[in-house]
């Protein structure tokens, strides 16, 4: 069920539980502000989720309320992970589903990194 991205942060969401160590993840990268791990249901040979450690519901929330340090760390991490995973030469896709029309399921900001094969059209028609 897609979420309403305007709701307040709910710290029972699954990524908050991963951040607290209550649930496992297959970690790819971590720094002071960012955690990245493999998607549990990959849609491409490489499918990584990158999340801020701060409590942000969505891209909308993070872009409006994240600190300069958090936003810089997040953008740097997405690029570094893609480089470290060897995705740059053949190309990759970064996606942030935001709210209902985009089908956002988990109410903690996450960016998907997809790669490892041709990724097809940007949107299904
Ligand atoms: P959204 O549709 O919100 O943009 O993406 C949510 C993503 O989180 C989906 O791709 C889904 O497979 C992934 N996901 C949901 N629960 C878990 C989990 O417990 N662990 C991991 N690693 N990924 C999850």
């Amino acid at each position: 069920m897609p979420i309403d991205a305007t709701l307040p942060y709910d710290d029972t969401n699954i990524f908050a539980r991963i951040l607290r160590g209550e649930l496992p993840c297959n970690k790819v990268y971590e720094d002071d502000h960012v955690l990245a791990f493999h998607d549990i249901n990959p849609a491409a040979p490489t499918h990584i989720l990158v999340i801020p450690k701060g409590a942000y519901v969505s891209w909308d929330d993070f872009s409006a309320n994240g600190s300069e340090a958090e936003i810089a760390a997040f953008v740097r991490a997405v690029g570094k992970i893609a480089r470290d995973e060897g995705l740059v030469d053949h190309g990759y896709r970064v996606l942030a589903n935001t709210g209902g029309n985009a089908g956002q399921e988990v109410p903690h900001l996450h960016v998907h990194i997809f790669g490892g094969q041709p990724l097809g059209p940007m949107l299904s028609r």
Side-chain angles (χ1 to χ4, degrees):
M1 180 77 171
I3 64 134
D4 176 349
T6 65
L7 289 176
Y9 188 79
D10 170 5
D11 72 1
T12 65
N13 78 76
I14 203 135
F15 294 166
R17 297 184 66 199
I18 287 173
L19 281 168
R20 289 195 296 270
E22 296 168 7
L23 294 172
C25 71
N26 189 355
K27 185 162 74 175
V28 172
Y29 173 85
E30 183 170 15
D31 65 27
D32 288 349
H33 295 296
V34 179
L35 179 68
F37 46 88
H38 291 284
D39 195 290
I40 203 166
N41 185 21
T46 301
H47 184 175
I48 293 168
L49 300 172
V50 188
I51 69 174
K53 289 186 173 177
Y56 299 100
V57 174
S58 66
W59 182 267
D60 181 62
D61 186 14
F62 188 59
S63 61
N65 300 313
S67 69
E68 305 301 314
E70 288 173 309
I71 290 171
F74 192 78
V75 174
R76 296 277 190 202
V78 170
K80 175 174 169 47
I81 292 161
R83 284 191 295 279
D84 290 352
E85 293 288 321
L87 299 179
V88 177
D89 282 354
H90 292 285
Y92 65 98
R93 182 170 292 158
V94 173
L95 176 73
N97 289 319
T98 306
N101 272 356
Q104 182 181 356
E105 299 272 356
V106 180
H108 182 114
L109 169 63
H110 48 285
V111 160
H112 300 254
I113 302 175
F114 299 106
Q117 68 180 28
L119 295 167
M122 193 160 55
L123 294 174
S124 58
R125 295 180 186 275

